[in-house]
Amino acid sequence: MKIDFRSDTVTKPSKEMLDYMFQAEVGDDVYGEDPTVSALEKFASEYFGKEAALFCTSGTQSNQIGIQLNLKPGGEVICHADSHIYRYEGGGIAKNSGASVKLIDGNYGRINVNQVKYAVNPDDIHLPLTQLVSLEDTANKGGGAVYDFNDIKEIANYCKSVGLPMHLDGARMMNALTVNGIVPKEYASQFDTISLCLSKGLGAPIGSLLIGKKDHIKQARRIRKSMGGGMRQAGYIAAAGLFALQHNVDRLKEDHLKASYLGDSIKDLEWIKEVYPIQTNIVIIELMNPSLQPTIIQSLKEKDILCNAFGPTAIRFVTHLDISDNQIQIAIDVLKSLRIG
Ligand SMILES: *Cc1c(COP(=O)(O)O)cnc(C)c1O
């Protein structure tokens, strides 16, 4: 059996989740008549202390809608240069919002309030109007790095003081909350809109949520429709999301332990230059010799271990609920046995 570290998106629904999905009551959600979709949206909005939520097809969709709610054509969003919204959403900010980006370099995918202040454009007709700040927590390209909550609060306070809305790409925010221990409502109160993936470490097969104010979500429903994301008897998949939020949050800490055990066990191998600090379920290794990246990935594949190239010099491993302790040990043994060079 393959040990699949490529992403936490590769998880398959458990028997319990599938049973729950099959029992879902459904209706036409475009008519607002799917009780399970409505239950998921209500559960999520209450969980995060927000007014409303919208079930979306993917994290890209919930991010793009959240961004479009706040950006006008010719406007600008401030985000980290490695952020998913900029790098991995098919140019969606330009395409969907007609807007520009101001990219900030930072500390393992995280930015701070001084950088944000500096990145806000003055009122000058030459410059795009700064209209949104977007954070990513955990930061994927930063190796699953978690924001210090005080840094988020500083950015949020500044944004409030100048009337800038804040979006959170919280694809893995439940991993972040597992580590920082902040109460979900308090954490969520810092942001205007939040995107949360159900299909990553939470183990649902599909779906994301956009969470925010009632009038935002009403408008978001219209944008989602125009993107082709109005879904009919979506209760079957919404049920998986409900099951995930109710059963798979507490266990995320197990994925984090597996990731740190994996990283610690291999960090001194001679072909590894650096293992990024591991806070959550992502292990990124920088290679001594980047030209060997394809060879290493291929050698692992031949031993049924799958992982992804991450940029030109690194490899990423992601732990999740379909990777057992035993498989972590097998992967460590294989990594240690590789003859590189
Ligand atoms: C996975 C991910 C998303 C959304 O991805 P989809 O594949 O569209 O669901 C957004 N942001 C980050 C940081 C992610 O890792």
Side-chain angles (χ1 to χ4, degrees):
M1 208 171 80
K2 296 209 185 334
I3 308 179
D4 197 342
F5 288 109
R6 287 173 303 167
S7 176
D8 44 9
T9 56
V10 301
T11 55
K12 297 194 178 137
S14 63
K15 164 113 187 20
E16 293 74 24
M17 183 182 274
L18 278 174
D19 286 345
Y20 191 72
M21 292 166 72
F22 275 119
Q23 285 163 23
E25 238 188 281
V26 298
D28 190 327
D29 184 54
V30 175
Y31 290 130
E33 290 172 5
D34 189 301
T36 310
V37 172
S38 302
L40 171 63
E41 291 173 346
K42 181 158 183 281
F43 181 88
S45 59
E46 285 170 2
Y47 189 90
F48 293 106
K50 294 277 190 210
E51 288 173 1
L54 181 70
F55 186 45
C56 294
T57 57
S58 68
T60 298
Q61 189 179 63
S62 46
N63 271 334
Q64 287 299 319
I65 295 173
I67 290 165
Q68 202 179 327
L69 285 172
N70 291 298
L71 277 185
K72 294 203 173 56
E76 187 161 84
V77 52
I78 295 172
C79 62
H80 193 281
D82 283 333
S83 56
H84 195 281
I85 60 164
Y86 169 65
R87 288 181 73 116
Y88 300 121
E89 301 193 356
I93 295 174
K95 190 170 182 198
N96 299 313
S97 301
S100 172
V101 285
K102 175 84 86 126
L103 302 176
I104 298 180
D105 277 326
N107 172 18
Y108 292 101
R110 296 160 298 192
I111 60 181
N112 65 43
V113 70
N114 290 326
Q115 292 175 305
V116 172
K117 280 182 190 169
Y118 188 72
V120 172
N121 286 333
D123 187 359
D124 172 331
I125 57 162
H126 296 88
L127 306 173
L129 276 174
T130 306
Q131 290 172 333
L132 179 66
V133 174
S134 181
L135 307 185
E136 185 174 310
D137 199 14
T138 70
N140 175 28
K141 282 286 273 186
V146 178
Y147 268 90
D148 184 319
F149 189 50
N150 286 322
D151 292 344
I152 292 181
K153 282 198 286 196
E154 278 180 9
I155 298 172
N157 287 340
Y158 168 72
C159 285
K160 256 180 223 119
S161 74
V162 295
L164 268 180
M166 289 246 288
H167 175 74
L168 173 70
D169 178 355
R172 296 189 180 85
M173 71 183 283
M174 298 319 298
N175 297 81
L177 292 174
T178 298
V179 171
N180 64 21
I182 307 296
V183 176
K185 286 181 183 152
E186 193 188 350
Y187 180 81
S189 71
Q190 306 300 315
F191 301 95
D192 295 279
T193 48
I194 294 174
S195 162
L196 163 70
C197 284
L198 301 163
S199 60
K200 296 210 161 137
L202 294 178
I206 184 172
S208 284
L209 287 159
L210 181 69
I211 307 156
K213 285 196 276 284
K214 218 184 238 159
D215 58 341
H216 261 156
I217 296 302
K218 183 170 176 222
Q219 215 185 323
R221 211 172 277 284
R222 170 175 282 278
I223 298 172
R224 185 189 65 174
K225 188 78 179 101
S226 75
M227 289 177 169
M231 297 179 281
R232 304 294 179 174
Q233 286 73 35
Y236 293 114
I237 52 174
L242 258 180
F243 185 93
L245 280 173
Q246 288 166 353
H247 297 89
N248 291 346
V249 172
D250 284 347
R251 59 156 308 288
L252 288 173
K253 56 182 181 291
E254 297 168 29
D255 298 340
H256 299 177
L257 285 172
K258 284 174 198 158
S260 58
Y261 179 57
L262 173 66
D264 282 348
S265 307
I266 62 173
K267 67 178 191 305
D268 294 328
L269 294 175
E270 73 280 359
W271 51 275
I272 293 178
K273 184 168 146 202
E274 184 200 349
V275 178
Y276 285 18
I278 298 169
Q279 288 185 282
T280 55
N281 66 329
I282 297 179
V283 180
I284 293 182
I285 59 177
E286 287 282 348
L287 305 176
M288 278 295 181
N289 181 351
S291 69
L292 291 176
Q293 187 201 52
T295 319
I296 295 170
I297 293 171
Q298 183 57 31
S299 310
L300 289 170
K301 195 171 174 189
E302 282 160 17
K303 303 239 155 107
D304 284 339
I305 295 172
L306 307 182
C307 54
N308 272 344
F310 219 53
T313 62
I315 298 177
R316 185 185 75 165
F317 298 82
V318 185
T319 60
H320 51 74
L321 77 184
D322 286 346
I323 290 187
S324 66
D325 287 336
N326 186 40
Q327 287 177 316
I328 291 282
Q329 196 56 55
I330 293 171
I332 291 169
D333 293 344
V334 169
L335 282 156
K336 285 183 169 170
S337 73
L338 286 186
R339 292 291 156 256
I340 312 283

